[in-house]
Amino acid sequence: MLKKIIAIAAVGLAGMNYSFAQHTEQNHGYRFEQLGTMLRTPNVYRTASGAPGHMYWQQQANYVIDVELNDDNQSIKGSETVTYVNNSPDQLTYLWLQLDQNNRGKDSDTPKVTESSIGPRMSMRALEGILWHSDDYDVKIHSIKDSNGTPLHIAINKTMMRVDLPQPLKAGESFTFSIDWSFNITDRVGFIGGRPGYELFPKDGNYLYTMSEWFPRMAVYSDFEGWQNKQFLGSGEFALTFGNYEVRITVPADHMVGATGVLQNPEQVLSSTEFERWKRATQTYDKPVIIRTQAEAEQLEKGKSKDKKTWIFKAENVRDFAWTSSRKFIWDAMAVKLGGKDVMAMSYYAKEANPLWEQYSTRVVAHTLKSYSSHTFDYPYPVAISVEASNGMEYPMICFNYGRPDADGTYSEAIKNGMIGVIIHEVGHNFFPMIVNSDERQWTWMDEGLNTFMQYMAEQEWDRNFPSRRGPAHKIVPYMKSDKNLLEPIMTNSENIIQFGPNAYAKPATALNILRETVMGRELFDFAFREYSRRWMFRHPTPDDLFRTLEDASAVDLDWFWRGWFYGTEPVDITIENVNWYKLDNRTPAEKKAAAKAEFTRDETNVSRDFNAKDVPQTYVESDPATKDFYTTYNPFTVTPEDEDAYKKFMASLSEKEKALLNSNMNFYEMTFKNVGGLVMPLIIEFHYADGTSEIERIPAEIWRKNESEVTKVFPKQKEVVRFVLDPKRETADIDESSNYWPRQYQPTRFELFKGAGGVRGASMGDNPMKKAQNKK
Ligand SMILES: [Zn+2]
């Protein structure tokens, strides 16, 4: 137990000379300095305010694609015509395209640069990762020609393909070329895994295809990176150019197809009943309309049509195109009003996803569009689709999600909430990075972190008690506490991240949530975040543009925050180190001396009292004969005329206001805080008063700017404080909350009891959790 809870002192006003902290070492001058050269030099393309510059440009790539799905051998063949528009001021001599499927091919670096080891029990998937070498999955490029039909010279470097231009492509010009290709679709559930591929349903022998990264796609050429042609290794996702698409997808006639964009020929591919239901759905705003029912889908599962149908889709100003196809699909849709126009929210799912999907998916899509739009900009696309595909991945207007009940149709709350969370997340990706088009190959956090933050808000708007996995500050604590060797800054390339989810999703989401709730406040943050979203919608932002815009639009200097949360790995661990309690001394000289005498005689030992030295009467010394007389008659506890005089003069010099202060009976609490973790944060202090009330005071992080390791501050309070709590609402992700109380409060550490072989574990005195807690400062 602590012996002394609050040190009590009685001193005069002049005695309150709490001096400036004595610095024994250089402990400041880093955490609050401007990021300066760590950020890109502003230029005509990107301004110092974080907005696109007056000469901002970006490339455009328009595609016309014909693709045919072979359901018998799970392969596709396609041909595309790409029109690449060079809006840059630069002359280009070659173009780079992405062949992501080669990530699974024989030359892929992915298995080579992935560590592996053998364990006593291994999953098939892990072993397949070790044995992975196959040219079955490479993209086969059959031809590549310019618009005159002349073959073009190409060079394929694993997942990147360079097309050498016959003549340099000048600024403002465009180049049209076409490619024929094919590849075998992978089993994304049973074998290699990954984003695109098929899932086989063995019970009925049908396939469900989710087709993404399925065509040669233009890489991004930008003012900040040149060509983004970093190899695709699996984690760092995609960097893609905006453009317009017309895609004709040929599939078995009994398949249902969903895709990025608007279906151009519904009368040809839907039955007349389905077409009528579709038209009804476009007018229905309160609940989804089922366009292909479960019974109809189950009927189709039983046969395999030998006929074909071609579905035609058009999409404008998208950075990518994905599609899905299966005869197992149930399809429902409803209209959502957003910014004066209608968006079709819809879902495709097999019977295995019911009854969950029919009930929730499309409604969650609609909710997500509304929630995200309110924090950014009105969703600009005409459709938003959620597909049940037993995994989660996002593309413009369409995304693949999980959330399948058990075989008997029952499901747990965890499955239901997991499904709702993932649909919000993947639909939310339409905003980041599909529209606010950051470079995913370089920065996972720029889309996943921002999107996870938005997901948290949308989940809480869906249900105030939604069990969000990420967002609240205290949920990042286990990660922030982990071994330094397992941590790297958020500003780390996607491929170099060890704990992917915590680093690129949860930590940036938490940081943004802390900015909104604690550092900036909702009003300033929401305005600035919306400004960032609008400045960069349909454009390519970098981290600097985000950092700069949030400051530019709020007048909050956040360099310390970016430095600590995004460029560093230090955790928040702030302690209440000490509290001193002071009161103003307004006694008369007679009262003062009487009290001093009583105190002096009462406690001869006089040990370790927190009295200010000059208030304690000095014992006289009989060392000087010349003054002996004076000393022998001098009684230190007698009030002298000089004392009276000084007191009168002092009282006369006071204004009414000063007198009121002197007699105010104020309490002064001098609190000392230590920054143990390193990451500077605001001090949020809850004062619990003797009368049972409480109050929270917030001190900005800048309190730390002259001493980053320890600060002392006085809090004047009319009421008497009995307890101090630091960060009472768990807003800062403090990794050791046991030191956030004054007087200290010890929380028991839970230890498990188990039965069975193995004997006593961890029963030594050294493991006594109570002891551990007390040893912690
Ligand atoms: Zn995501």
Side-chain angles (χ1 to χ4, degrees):
M1 284 301 292
L2 285 163
K3 277 196 191 120
K4 196 178 260 179
I5 293 170
I6 296 174
I8 300 171
V11 294
L13 191 56
M16 257 185 58
N17 62 340
Y18 52 91
S19 63
F20 294 105
Q22 294 297 305
H23 300 175
T24 51
E25 55 185 12
Q26 191 67 33
N27 58 6
H28 69 284
Y30 164 68
R31 289 184 172 85
F32 287 92
E33 288 315 299
Q34 296 295 291
L35 293 178
T37 52
M38 287 165 76
L39 300 184
R40 202 177 294 275
T41 307
N43 54 40
V44 292
Y45 312 122
R46 280 158 211 275
T47 70
S49 68
H54 70 279
M55 292 180 77
Y56 177 82
W57 56 268
Q58 65 191 23
Q59 307 294 66
Q60 194 187 12
N62 302 318
Y63 299 80
V64 176
I65 309 177
D66 283 284
V67 61
E68 183 167 347
L69 172 71
N70 186 329
D71 189 36
D72 297 327
N73 66 7
Q74 294 78 53
S75 67
I76 63 161
K77 65 175 202 283
S79 66
E80 69 182 9
T81 301
V82 186
T83 301
Y84 187 71
V85 186
N86 181 15
N87 293 318
S88 83
D90 312 327
Q91 182 169 289
L92 302 174
T93 53
Y94 48 78
L95 308 177
W96 282 101
L97 286 95
Q98 312 182 48
L99 302 178
D100 311 276
Q101 291 291 327
N102 282 354
N103 177 239
R104 294 149 208 294
K106 65 178 185 319
D107 291 331
S108 175
D109 276 344
T110 302
K112 295 176 193 164
V113 301
T114 304
E115 286 188 87
S116 50
S117 55
I118 301 285
R121 276 172 60 79
M122 288 189 74
S123 69
M124 281 303 282
R125 179 70 65 87
L127 193 61
E128 282 158 7
I130 291 171
L131 294 169
W132 181 356
H133 60 90
S134 172
D135 55 4
D136 287 353
Y137 300 111
D138 281 315
V139 184
K140 310 279 189 295
I141 300 289
H142 303 295
S143 85
I144 176 157
K145 292 177 276 195
D146 69 10
S147 51
N148 301 319
T150 311
L152 293 165
H153 182 264
I154 59 166
I156 294 175
N157 176 11
K158 294 156 195 161
T159 62
M160 287 288 164
M161 175 168 74
R162 194 188 67 228
V163 177
D164 296 332
L165 297 172
Q167 278 97 39
L169 183 61
K170 295 202 184 87
E173 289 183 347
S174 62
F175 180 69
T176 299
F177 61 106
S178 51
I179 307 173
D180 292 346
W181 80 97
S182 66
F183 65 83
N184 293 323
I185 302 168
T186 44
D187 176 356
R188 66 175 159 75
V189 176
F191 179 52
I192 285 180
R195 293 168 186 80
Y198 65 77
E199 176 180 0
L200 170 64
F201 290 77
K203 276 194 185 154
D204 53 66
N206 285 298
Y207 291 84
L208 190 160
Y209 299 90
T210 55
M211 300 308 300
S212 59
E213 299 94 62
W214 58 280
F215 60 103
R217 304 184 292 177
M218 287 304 308
V220 171
Y221 181 78
S222 70
D223 61 287
F224 61 92
E225 183 69 35
W227 284 106
Q228 173 50 290
N229 54 8
K230 193 171 163 56
Q231 293 289 334
F232 177 48
L233 292 175
S235 292
E237 290 184 328
F238 312 107
L240 296 154
T241 306
F242 284 110
N244 303 323
Y245 286 72
E246 181 179 342
V247 182
R248 297 185 283 264
I249 303 167
T250 301
V251 297
D254 49 0
H255 271 214
M256 172 69 71
V257 178
T260 302
V262 175
L263 179 62
Q264 302 294 305
N265 58 339
E267 300 96 323
Q268 288 167 18
V269 291
L270 304 180
S271 72
S272 54
T273 315
E274 286 167 349
F275 189 48
E276 284 311 309
R277 290 171 183 160
W278 163 252
K279 283 194 285 192
R280 186 149 51 83
T282 63
Q283 304 297 320
T284 307
Y285 298 88
D286 58 339
K287 60 175 190 299
V289 172
I290 297 182
I291 299 162
R292 181 173 286 178
T293 66
Q294 180 163 334
E296 288 160 357
E298 283 181 34
Q299 194 54 40
L300 289 169
E301 280 182 358
K302 291 173 185 153
K304 281 190 194 282
S305 174
K306 289 291 153 201
D307 296 334
K308 288 172 183 175
K309 274 184 184 170
T310 299
W311 298 60
I312 304 170
F313 292 89
K314 276 190 180 173
E316 279 174 20
N317 212 7
V318 286
R319 51 164 258 172
D320 199 0
F321 189 103
W323 53 282
T324 188
S325 184
S326 180
R327 63 175 61 81
K328 292 180 65 69
F329 277 140
I330 302 158
W331 177 27
D332 70 46
M334 70 187 271
V336 188
K337 267 238 176 312
L338 274 171
K341 62 183 181 49
D342 284 354
V343 176
M344 291 307 292
M346 41 195 176
S347 302
Y348 295 81
Y349 42 96
K351 66 174 189 295
E352 284 76 3
N354 261 342
L356 207 42
W357 271 62
E358 186 179 302
Q359 216 177 330
Y360 289 105
S361 177
T362 296
R363 288 182 171 92
V364 176
V365 174
H367 167 75
T368 306
L369 296 178
K370 287 179 196 160
S371 170
Y372 276 60
S373 294
S374 75
H375 292 289
T376 54
F377 42 76
D378 287 332
Y379 181 71
Y381 292 136
V383 306
I385 300 169
S386 162
V387 182
E388 203 287 319
S390 81
N391 64 357
M393 186 58 199
E394 68 277 8
Y395 301 94
M397 303 188 218
I398 188 169
C399 57
F400 306 121
N401 305 310
Y402 65 73
R404 215 173 269 181
D406 291 336
D408 64 357
T410 62
Y411 55 85
S412 64
E413 276 296 290
I415 289 283
K416 185 188 98 182
N417 291 329
M419 177 199 85
I420 292 169
V422 79
I423 294 175
I424 290 174
H425 181 95
E426 307 303 348
V427 172
H429 269 308
N430 274 297
F431 294 79
F432 308 94
M434 298 305 151
I435 296 167
V436 180
N437 186 0
S438 56
D439 180 350
E440 298 178 88
R441 186 61 46 90
Q442 178 60 33
W443 306 117
T444 297
W445 72 266
M446 275 204 82
D447 68 296
E448 296 299 355
L450 271 60
N451 185 41
T452 302
F453 163 67
M454 298 283 295
Q455 176 194 346
Y456 170 60
M457 290 196 290
E459 284 172 350
Q460 295 302 308
E461 288 166 15
W462 171 266
D463 177 353
R464 284 285 290 160
N465 297 312
F466 193 89
S468 295
R469 285 170 61 218
R470 291 162 170 163
H474 65 91
K475 299 226 168 189
I476 199 67
V477 165
Y479 172 68
M480 299 298 275
K481 263 167 123 160
S482 54
D483 182 343
K484 290 264 180 241
N485 286 321
L486 302 176
L487 296 175
E488 61 287 304
I490 291 173
M491 288 293 288
T492 296
N493 175 262
S494 312
E495 297 297 340
N496 307 336
I497 296 168
I498 295 175
Q499 302 181 69
F500 208 73
N503 174 292
Y505 292 62
K507 190 179 171 187
T510 307
L512 290 169
N513 195 36
I514 288 174
L515 272 187
R516 182 171 191 253
E517 301 290 353
T518 303
V519 176
M520 297 168 77
R522 289 187 181 184
E523 207 176 317
L524 285 175
F525 178 88
D526 288 351
F527 177 85
F529 192 76
R530 191 174 292 123
E531 181 70 11
Y532 167 73
S533 309
R534 290 181 181 176
R535 280 179 176 183
W536 292 98
M537 74 183 289
F538 295 121
R539 294 193 166 110
H540 301 285
T542 67
D544 305 14
D545 301 316
L546 173 68
F547 297 155
R548 286 172 160 151
T549 297
L550 288 191
E551 292 192 0
D552 190 65
S554 70
V556 184
D557 182 352
L558 296 170
D559 285 39
W560 65 271
F561 190 86
W562 309 132
R563 191 187 285 279
W565 279 90
F566 287 76
Y567 290 87
T569 59
E570 289 174 335
V572 178
D573 183 6
I574 300 174
T575 69
I576 302 180
E577 202 57 22
N578 190 35
V579 178
N580 288 321
W581 179 16
Y582 296 95
K583 283 184 95 79
L584 278 166
D585 194 343
N586 63 350
R587 292 171 300 180
T588 63
E591 287 166 340
K592 253 187 216 181
K593 295 226 162 161
K597 185 177 180 183
E599 186 69 16
F600 187 70
T601 48
R602 188 180 63 79
D603 185 8
E604 280 298 329
T605 53
N606 243 351
V607 224
S608 73
R609 286 204 320 250
D610 290 309
F611 275 67
N612 186 312
K614 73 176 177 276
D615 270 29
V616 180
Q618 298 297 307
T619 317
Y620 58 85
V621 187
E622 287 185 80
S623 56
D624 184 353
T627 54
K628 187 166 185 283
D629 205 34
F630 169 77
Y631 277 117
T632 47
T633 57
Y634 175 68
N635 180 343
F637 302 116
T638 307
V639 178
T640 66
E642 288 84 356
D643 290 339
E644 291 286 14
D645 215 39
Y647 179 69
K648 266 185 205 151
K649 268 193 190 148
F650 173 65
M651 290 306 284
S653 74
L654 297 181
S655 68
E656 284 310 306
K657 222 174 147 188
E658 286 166 336
K659 264 182 209 153
L661 173 65
L662 186 66
N663 294 318
S664 64
N665 200 28
M666 289 275 273
N667 299 289
F668 295 90
Y669 296 97
E670 182 194 77
M671 300 185 72
T672 298
F673 303 90
K674 247 192 183 142
N675 178 6
V676 178
L679 184 42
V680 287
M681 283 297 274
L683 298 174
I684 304 157
I685 308 141
E686 187 173 55
F687 298 89
H688 290 263
Y689 297 116
D691 66 3
T693 60
S694 65
E695 175 191 26
I696 289 179
E697 258 197 70
R698 291 168 178 272
I699 305 296
E702 281 80 358
I703 183 80
W704 298 100
R705 72 203 188 286
K706 292 179 181 176
N707 186 338
E708 292 159 5
S709 50
E710 186 179 306
V711 292
T712 298
K713 189 165 180 62
V714 175
F715 296 86
K717 298 287 171 194
Q718 198 61 59
K719 292 183 190 176
E720 199 176 309
V721 181
V722 291
R723 195 155 69 95
F724 304 80
V725 183
L726 185 63
D727 191 14
K729 296 187 170 163
R730 314 183 83 195
E731 295 170 61
T732 66
D734 194 314
I735 62 164
D736 179 6
E737 293 178 322
S738 73
S739 56
N740 290 9
Y741 298 89
W742 196 273
R744 285 273 193 275
Q745 283 189 344
Y746 293 107
Q747 312 290 339
T749 304
R750 301 257 173 208
F751 64 102
E752 268 180 83
L753 209 57
F754 70 96
K755 278 170 107 170
V760 186
R761 225 199 249 167
S764 77
M765 279 305 286
D767 283 334
N768 181 335
M770 192 59 198
K771 238 188 173 162
K772 233 182 214 168
Q774 283 176 344
N775 290 339
K776 253 185 265 171
K777 196 57 201 257

